[in-house]
Amino acid sequence: MRVKSTWHKSQVKTIDDIAGALAFNSWRITKNQLEDLINEAFVIEKAQVFDVIREYMCYLIQCVDRLTFDVLDTKQRQELIIALAKQSADYYHENKQERIGPGDHWQEFIQTYNARSQDYSDYEFKDGEPNYLFMRYFAEKVQKSMTDADEKWIVQQICEIQAPKAFKALNKSVQQLVSVESIVSTKEKIKRKENKVPRSKRKSTRQDTPLKNTSSSDHIT
């Protein structure tokens, strides 16, 4: 599924538009992070991959929640996070079903997300970024998904390199996606479209001098 991840600032977007783009970008960031870990020689078994993915997605959603605190009003932010969690669960379910097999993967993701949301509320952002304890909690959850051989090294790798890198990519995406002319509900956007006058029926605002054909014929040659 292709989703446009940036758009012109003059556009009007809905919460669902933004959530969809952020879910896509979060999934892409997570895949890049997995490649980083593998390139650093960390071993992630097939059965562990989606446990790690789930923790990454939950971490990124929590970061979005903090980043939009001063940008969106409370209602908009709540709607955004709920929509983002659901669409992230869709990506998780579709990919895990394809690679691992059938199961209620969507609900699995949502249950983990709800548990993590409660825990992350105990940790803070500092100067617009997740503080050490915020990232440490994330790292410890990833640690539980790793092999015994790697688990003692993964916390340092996540806290010092992976978590800050993932946040930086996400932060750039959030700033681009919420910097639009207006953010409205899907219902309001539909209403605006219904009330919009087609270009062909709009009254001209041009002040050009009327064209006069002085030719002896009825058409311009």
Side-chain angles (χ1 to χ4, degrees), residues 65-118:
D65 187 38
R66 307 302 177 91
L67 287 169
T68 56
F69 186 84
D70 294 324
V71 179
L72 305 177
D73 62 41
T74 301
K75 182 180 178 181
Q76 286 179 323
R77 185 165 57 88
Q78 290 175 342
E79 290 177 351
L80 174 64
I81 298 306
I82 290 172
L84 175 55
K86 289 181 177 179
Q87 294 193 50
S88 296
D90 288 341
Y91 277 105
Y92 180 84
H93 176 82
E94 290 169 7
N95 282 272
K96 187 169 184 179
Q97 183 170 260
E98 179 182 339
R99 299 182 186 183
I100 303 298
D104 194 359
H105 309 309
W106 194 93
Q107 191 61 39
E108 175 187 73
F109 181 91
I110 294 300
Q111 288 177 347
T112 300
Y113 165 75
N114 287 335
R116 299 295 180 266
S117 294
Q118 183 66 36

Side-chain angles (χ1 to χ4, degrees), residues 32 41 45 52 139 210:
N32 291 339
E45 303 292 347
V52 176

Side-chain angles (χ1 to χ4, degrees), residues 199-215:
R199 183 181 298 273
S200 60
K201 296 183 179 180
R202 295 178 195 172
K203 184 177 180 181
S204 175
T205 58
R206 295 185 60 176
Q207 301 297 320
D208 296 349
T209 302
L211 175 65
K212 294 182 180 180
N213 182 11
T214 56
S215 171

Side-chain angles (χ1 to χ4, degrees), residues 11-216:
Q11 291 183 319
V12 175
K13 291 296 176 181
T14 69
I15 291 295
D16 284 340
D17 291 333
I18 297 172
L22 283 174
F24 172 78
N25 285 351
S26 295
W27 183 262
R28 185 170 57 184
I29 290 168
T30 298
K31 288 181 63 179
N32 291 339
Q33 289 275 308
L34 286 173
E35 290 177 4
D36 286 348
L37 291 175
I38 293 170
N39 289 337
E40 290 295 328
F42 286 96
V43 179
I44 307 177
E45 303 292 347
K46 182 178 180 180
Q48 301 168 331
V49 168
F50 282 91
D51 292 340
V52 176
I53 287 175
R54 197 165 63 245
E55 295 302 337
Y56 260 99
M57 299 293 282
C58 288
Y59 165 72
L60 294 173
I61 293 171
Q62 291 302 311
C63 288
V64 171
D65 187 38
R66 307 302 177 91
L67 287 169
T68 56
F69 186 84
D70 294 324
V71 179
L72 305 177
D73 62 41
T74 301
K75 182 180 178 181
Q76 286 179 323
R77 185 165 57 88
Q78 290 175 342
E79 290 177 351
L80 174 64
I81 298 306
I82 290 172
L84 175 55
K86 289 181 177 179
Q87 294 193 50
S88 296
D90 288 341
Y91 277 105
Y92 180 84
H93 176 82
E94 290 169 7
N95 282 272
K96 187 169 184 179
Q97 183 170 260
E98 179 182 339
R99 299 182 186 183
I100 303 298
D104 194 359
H105 309 309
W106 194 93
Q107 191 61 39
E108 175 187 73
F109 181 91
I110 294 300
Q111 288 177 347
T112 300
Y113 165 75
N114 287 335
R116 299 295 180 266
S117 294
Q118 183 66 36
D119 292 342
Y120 273 113
S121 65
D122 293 332
Y123 306 110
E124 301 176 348
F125 261 40
K126 182 178 180 180
D127 299 326
E129 299 181 357
N131 66 10
Y132 176 78
L133 292 178
F134 194 107
M135 293 187 291
R136 174 84 188 189
Y137 174 79
F138 166 49
E140 289 174 348
K141 292 303 177 184
V142 173
Q143 181 187 38
K144 292 183 178 180
S145 302
M146 305 295 290
T147 63
D148 293 340
D150 287 334
E151 65 175 4
K152 63 182 179 180
W153 305 111
I154 192 64
V155 170
Q156 182 179 4
Q157 178 74 18
I158 292 291
C159 289
E160 296 182 2
I161 300 175
Q162 304 305 142
K165 183 178 179 180
F167 172 77
K168 183 178 180 180
L170 179 74
N171 185 27
K172 181 179 180 181
S173 177
V174 170
Q175 302 311 319
Q176 290 175 334
L177 294 172
V178 300
S179 297
V180 293
E181 179 181 310
S182 180
I183 299 174
V184 299
S185 66
T186 301
K187 183 178 179 180
E188 175 63 22
K189 187 174 182 180
I190 293 173
K191 184 178 179 181
R192 290 189 182 191
K193 283 186 175 181
E194 291 175 345
N195 295 334
K196 187 175 182 180
V197 178
R199 183 181 298 273
S200 60
K201 296 183 179 180
R202 295 178 195 172
K203 184 177 180 181
S204 175
T205 58
R206 295 185 60 176
Q207 301 297 320
D208 296 349
T209 302
L211 175 65
K212 294 182 180 180
N213 182 11
T214 56
S215 171
S216 58

